[in-house]
Amino acid sequence: MKQIIVAIDGYSSCGKSTIAKRLAEYAGYTYVDTGAMYRAVALAVMRGEVELPSLKGLDQISVGFRDNHVTLNGEDVESQIRTLEVGNMASRVSPIKEVRQYLVAQQQLMGRDKGIVMDGRDIGTVVFPNAELKLFLTASPEVRARRRYDELVGKGETPVYEDVLRDVNDRDYRDTHREESPLRQADDAIVVDNSNLTREEQMEKIIAIFNDCLNRQ
Ligand code: DC
C-alpha cells in the first residue's frame, strides 16, 4: 500500500494532537507533533540554554522524539512543555525566522520516507506543500478555551476560564498575523470544524477522508 504524508494544521487547542496521534495509530504511521518542538525550544530559552534575541545556543540544542514524547538534548520533557508559561514562550519564539528554519528542516527530514502524520500551523503550507492529504481543523474559541481549561484542571492547575479564553484569542491572533509562516488554510486543505462533533464522530470522519485519499493514490 502506498504511503502518504498527512499534514494537519489548525488553531491551538482544537484537538489536533489527539486526532493526529489516533490517525497515525490507525494508519501505522509515524506521528510528529511540531508544536511540541517549538515548545521544547521555548523551554530551552526558559532554562537559559538559548539566548534571546541573539539565539546563541540554538545550534547546540537537539530536539527529538522518543516514544511520542518530545526530548530536549535527549531528556524527556513532555510533561514540562505542557504548561501555560511554556505555551506563551513558544508563541514568542515560533515567529522567529531562524527558529522556524531550524525546525522545518528537521521536520522535512522526518517526512522523507512518507508514512507520517504531522500536525502544526504551517505543515500543509510550508513544511509539506505537496502532502497528499491536508486537513485544517477548527472549532470556536469558546469551545477550545473550555477544552484547554478542562485539560489544565485535569493536570492539577487552577486556571481562570476568562484567562484561558483570552489566551486562546491572543494566540490565534499571533499565529495568524505573524510575518513568518502565519497560520492559514492551504488552498487544497479539507476543513473539519469540530465544535459540534464528539471525538468519535470526528475520528470517523477523518478516517473516512484518509481512506478515500489513499484509494485515490
Ligand atoms: O500547538 P501548540 O500549542 O503546542 O504550539 C505551540 C506554539 O508553537 C504555538 O504558539 C504555535 C507554534 N507552532 C508554530 O508556529 N508552528 C507549528 N508548526 C507548530 C506550532
Side-chain angles (χ1 to χ4, degrees):
M1 178 76 85
K2 192 177 173 207
Q3 299 223 308
I4 65 168
I5 291 181
V6 184
I8 304 186
D9 291 302
Y11 293 99
S12 67
S13 305
C14 65
K16 282 192 307 290
S17 302
T18 311
I19 293 296
K21 206 178 292 175
R22 285 188 56 186
L23 180 61
E25 269 166 27
Y26 170 83
Y29 282 12
T30 302
Y31 163 60
V32 178
D33 173 358
T34 61
M37 298 172 78
Y38 288 92
R39 284 170 181 267
V41 172
L43 183 66
V45 169
M46 291 162 80
R47 287 178 170 180
E49 291 171 23
V50 174
E51 286 174 25
L52 291 183
S54 66
L55 296 177
K56 188 164 169 264
L58 181 64
D59 55 357
Q60 312 286 318
I61 60 163
S62 71
V63 175
F65 288 93
R66 195 164 57 234
D67 302 329
N68 275 348
H69 282 191
V70 72
T71 59
L72 175 62
N73 302 326
E75 175 193 348
D76 183 334
V77 291
E78 185 66 30
S79 61
Q80 294 169 57
I81 59 159
R82 302 289 170 197
T83 63
L84 270 180
E85 291 73 22
V86 176
N88 288 334
M89 180 57 85
S91 87
R92 280 184 53 200
V93 301
S94 59
I96 304 172
K97 192 175 173 184
E98 291 78 6
V99 171
R100 301 204 72 82
Q101 284 172 342
Y102 176 70
L103 293 181
V104 167
Q106 295 186 24
Q107 291 154 8
Q108 289 173 334
L109 267 183
M110 291 172 181
R112 213 177 20 190
D113 300 326
K114 304 210 174 191
I116 195 165
V117 179
M118 189 174 280
D119 79 45
R121 304 292 191 286
D122 59 341
I123 313 305
T125 51
V126 176
V127 183
F128 296 122
N130 297 321
E132 288 82 358
L133 177 58
K134 298 180 187 177
L135 297 171
F136 191 87
L137 299 190
T138 176
S140 74
E142 291 74 19
V143 166
R144 289 185 285 130
R146 176 57 60 189
R147 290 180 189 152
R148 181 86 190 114
Y149 174 88
D150 291 344
E151 203 177 292
L152 290 167
V153 169
K155 279 185 200 146
E157 296 192 28
T158 48
V160 175
Y161 172 77
E162 284 71 25
D163 291 347
V164 180
L165 178 60
R166 195 180 49 236
D167 211 69
V168 164
N169 281 318
D170 287 354
R171 202 170 298 178
D172 285 0
Y173 187 86
R174 286 197 297 263
D175 283 351
T176 50
H177 287 79
R178 67 180 180 216
E179 209 164 298
E180 260 333 293
S181 314
L183 168 65
R184 69 170 183 84
Q185 189 191 316
D187 296 336
D188 49 351
I190 299 172
V191 181
V192 179
D193 184 332
N194 64 31
S195 302
N196 298 310
L197 294 179
T198 63
R199 282 256 157 90
E200 290 317 309
E201 287 166 344
Q202 181 178 213
M203 218 40 236
E204 272 175 33
K205 189 171 176 158
I206 284 175
I207 285 176
I209 294 172
F210 171 79
N211 283 326
D212 186 47
C213 177
L214 217 49
N215 289 333
R216 281 186 282 104
Q217 299 304 311

